Amino acid sequence: MKAVSRPSRSGDPATPPRRAGYSFNWVGRIGLGVILFWGLVAIFGPALAPYPPGEIVDWDYFSPMSADYWLGTDYLGRDMFSRILMGARYTVGIALVAVTLACTGGVVLGMVAAVIGGWFDMILSRLLDAFNGIPSLLFGLVAVAAVGSSIPVLVLTLAAIYLPGSYRFARALAVNINTMDFVTVARARGEGTPYLIAREIFPNILGPVLADLGLRFVFIVLVLSGLSFLGLGVQPPNADWGALVRENIEGLSLGAPAVIFPSITIATLTISVNMFIDNLPTKIRDRS
Amino acid sequence: MSASLATWILVAQRLAIALLTLVIVSFAVFFATEMLPGDVAQILLGQAATPEAVAGLREAMGLDEPALLRFLGWMRGLVSGDFGTSYVNDMPVAELIGDRLINSLRLAGVTTAVSVPVSLVLGIGAAMWRGSFFDRTVSILTISVISVPEFMVATLAVLIFAVWLGWLPALSYGADTGSLAAMLKAYAMPVISLSFVISAQMIRMTRAAVIETINTPYVEMALLKGAGRVRMVLVHALPNALGPIANAVALSLSYLVGGVIIVETIFNYPGVAKLMVDAVATRDLPLIQSCAMIFCVSYLTLITLADLMAILSNPRLRR
């Protein structure tokens, strides 16, 4: 346990000066760059699209890359480049909202369980562990089958799938912090549970929790793409990247760019998040 | 080597938890599908049905009973092998699932037989020559496979083996298994895709398990004593890493459950997962519930098995 090393580390001879341990190495920077790129595309992409994403612009379906249609056209002759720009909004947007919900819920419940302990902790942990016993894609299938697919349903389902994992992670961290002297002191001072959670525990688990959030984002992108690929995710005429692969899967035997590029965009997003998380500055990652 | 009382208590505890989890999971599966908006009887009879007909069907299907009673009845049926009747084609679910389950198990079995040896060799090798070119290549490849969706691995496999190289058929039609060669070909694509997905996890976990053992003082001692790298890993480190490795293998095999859903759909493989995805499309609830339970039970079994291996192989619990 490396405990919470408070600021006074200037005396440490091994640490080079100037915010050492807070800088990213180049792999992390590339990852961050790609993440920011897709983030911007998700926000501004639809405005940049050369053609309306839903409109059939070419008589030829599955046409190859050309000057007019940068990434070729899809199975109906719609411009792939525009559709991928539009898909970014669905994939990144849904995954981001879902992961935020999952981690906020999981972390708050985890900290409350760690601080309160006792029966509350035990029942909640058992219950959420049981939900971990359902394979994620299956959970998605059953939930979407039951309620029908729409974007709010997708977001809530994905958040529900990943909340237990986030809870378990945050609880394990918070239990460790909870036994430390400064928390005991705060408790002895008469601080209430909300104060302990917000001021003593939360700041000390923030780093690892953010790293965990990144990994969960990747999982959510993967499950969302999987669901869309099975035809249960974003519904036509809209499409996220997984749905784009599904729509154009017929083009696979032709080697059409329409099926290859959406796959590549998913991979660039997930791999770059992984690269970023794996190369987080040590100070952020090792806070706990 | 004999396990002590403490170990058996832990094992019993773990099994009890698994059982409890199973009950909660079946509860969740049942009520998730019960939440379906709209009345099942109404959906089955269509828009033109008279209210009396709908009420009659509801009564015949037992839908007017309280949900908890239906849940208990459903559970009793599952335990005694009665999976209910499909809404869509009125056949017993057990009959629909029967052959499909064998197909899926065969796919899972072949994949396991292929991916476990390969992953163990690659994982142990990567740990043995840690930091080498081989290790880094394996690391990059496994990370790439883990961070892309399963369907992309399968898509790429089709692109490479079926489209560019032309070695294998892109789709696996269950009927076309006349000769051994045809059968091998039909199985090859799904097995290759699924193996990639499973192996990536397994290789990483195996490597981590072996490296953890290598970092212990007694293995360092073996190195200082002059044992070579191969001897150090295979003779000194590996016996103690077997437990964690078995744990890793069982845990990775649980990814079969998710992978199989995608792979069966892509290759049109006649297994339980394909059946379930089709059932989702037609909203055939009894079929969805049964398939979901099959997947949950296999998933739970593998996870529990992984935990049991970890408990049983922990030398601190032996007396």
Side-chain angles (χ1 to χ4, degrees), chain B residues 231-246:
Chain B
R231 187 181 159 78
M232 173 185 93
V233 171
L234 293 187
V235 178
H236 294 272
L238 204 53
N240 276 308
L242 280 183
I245 290 179

Side-chain angles (χ1 to χ4, degrees), chain B:
Chain B
M1 275 299 277
S2 76
S4 69
L5 186 65
T7 315
W8 292 120
I9 290 176
L10 270 179
V11 168
Q13 231 170 24
R14 190 63 195 82
L15 288 177
I17 289 176
L19 209 62
L20 184 68
T21 310
L22 189 60
V23 172
I24 298 181
V25 165
S26 51
F27 212 73
V29 165
F30 186 79
F31 284 101
T33 44
E34 284 298 311
M35 282 191 323
L36 183 86
D39 188 68
V40 178
Q42 179 81 59
I43 293 170
L44 282 181
L45 290 175
Q47 290 294 325
T50 60
E52 291 77 22
V54 173
L57 186 64
R58 280 178 65 85
E59 200 170 329
M61 291 171 73
L63 286 176
D64 49 351
E65 286 174 41
L68 201 62
L69 271 183
R70 275 183 289 137
F71 173 68
L72 290 178
W74 178 68
M75 282 293 279
R76 206 176 307 128
L78 279 190
V79 173
S80 62
D82 172 19
F83 288 23
T85 314
S86 158
Y87 286 168
V88 172
N89 50 15
D90 236 359
M91 278 168 64
V93 170
E95 204 171 298
L96 285 172
I97 289 181
D99 291 347
R100 300 293 198 111
L101 185 59
I102 295 172
N103 279 341
S104 284
L105 286 177
R106 198 181 290 151
L107 178 61
V110 176
T111 307
T112 309
V114 171
S115 59
V116 170
V118 172
S119 316
L120 290 188
V121 169
L122 287 179
I124 294 170
M128 202 184 286
W129 291 286
R130 177 153 56 132
S132 68
F133 176 72
F134 172 71
D135 180 30
R136 273 178 307 181
T137 316
V138 169
S139 274
I140 291 175
L141 281 180
T142 50
I143 287 203
S144 314
V145 172
I146 289 174
S147 38
V148 301
E150 292 99 345
F151 66 80
M152 190 175 153
V153 177
T155 313
L156 276 181
V158 170
L159 200 63
I160 294 172
F161 292 107
V163 179
W164 289 346
L165 298 175
W167 289 349
L168 301 162
L171 292 179
S172 130
Y173 294 107
D176 185 29
T177 51
S179 66
L180 183 67
M183 202 185 89
L184 278 183
K185 273 194 166 180
Y187 272 96
M189 286 309 305
V191 168
I192 290 175
S193 318
L194 210 44
S195 298
F196 267 110
V197 175
I198 309 299
S199 304
Q201 293 284 354
M202 220 184 294
I203 292 170
R204 283 179 70 78
M205 287 161 132
T206 308
R207 177 179 176 275
V210 175
I211 282 181
E212 195 162 309
T213 333
I214 289 180
N215 285 338
T216 51
Y218 78 91
V219 177
E220 196 183 351
M221 181 65 207
L223 190 67
L224 293 175
K225 213 173 62 182
R229 197 181 277 257
V230 176
R231 187 181 159 78
M232 173 185 93
V233 171
L234 293 187
V235 178
H236 294 272
L238 204 53
N240 276 308
L242 280 183
I245 290 179
N247 176 11
V249 168
L251 215 51
S252 315
L253 287 181
S254 70
Y255 285 89
L256 269 174
V257 175
V260 97
I261 295 179
I262 300 281
V263 166
E264 286 191 1
T265 311
I266 292 189
F267 295 108
N268 211 5
Y269 184 91
V272 182
K274 182 82 173 70
L275 188 67
M276 179 170 167
V277 172
D278 293 344
V280 168
T282 55
R283 292 201 156 182
D284 191 347
L285 292 187
L287 196 50
I288 299 177
Q289 288 169 342
S290 304
C291 293
M293 283 314 288
I294 289 180
F295 282 117
C296 287
V297 168
S298 14
Y299 187 73
L300 261 178
T301 310
L302 285 167
I303 289 188
T304 310
L305 207 62
D307 278 2
L308 289 185
M309 304 245 199
I311 294 174
L312 289 177
S313 67
N314 187 345
R316 288 179 204 95
L317 289 172
R318 285 192 207 123
R319 288 285 177 276

Side-chain angles (χ1 to χ4, degrees), chain A residues 122-280:
Chain A
M122 210 181 91
I123 291 176
L124 200 60
S125 296
R126 271 291 137 269
L127 205 66
L128 290 178
D129 270 358
F131 274 93
N132 256 345
I134 307 180
S136 48
L137 193 59
L138 189 82
F139 190 111
L141 268 178
V142 173
V144 171
V147 214
S149 186
S150 65
I151 288 179
V153 169
L154 278 177
V155 168
L156 288 180
T157 308
L158 291 168
I161 293 175
Y162 286 101
L163 190 142
S166 174
Y167 165 82
R168 189 188 248 192
F169 184 80
R171 183 187 163 277
L173 289 171
V175 162
N176 281 331
I177 304 284
N178 194 33
T179 56
M180 285 185 179
D181 290 344
F182 61 89
V183 181
T184 316
V185 169
R187 195 169 275 135
R189 214 161 56 216
E191 306 288 4
T193 307
Y195 178 91
L196 289 179
I197 289 171
R199 301 300 296 278
E200 303 290 347
I201 294 187
F202 183 63
N204 289 303
I205 66 172
L206 186 60
V209 158
L210 285 179
D212 179 63
L213 184 134
L215 290 182
R216 253 163 246 290
F217 176 78
V218 171
F219 294 142
I220 288 185
V221 168
L222 295 183
V223 172
L224 172 65
S225 309
L227 280 176
S228 286
F229 181 79
L230 295 174
L232 298 165
V234 179
Q235 297 298 312
N238 302 324
D240 67 332
W241 292 338
L244 286 177
V245 178
R246 171 193 173 81
E247 289 178 347
N248 298 307
I249 196 79
E250 305 284 316
L252 187 61
S253 52
L254 308 169
V259 60
I260 298 170
F261 278 106
S263 310
I264 293 179
T265 51
I266 298 173
T268 54
L269 179 63
T270 51
I271 291 178
S272 60
V273 174
N274 267 336
M275 275 161 60
F276 177 65
I277 300 294
D278 277 352
N279 293 287
L280 271 184

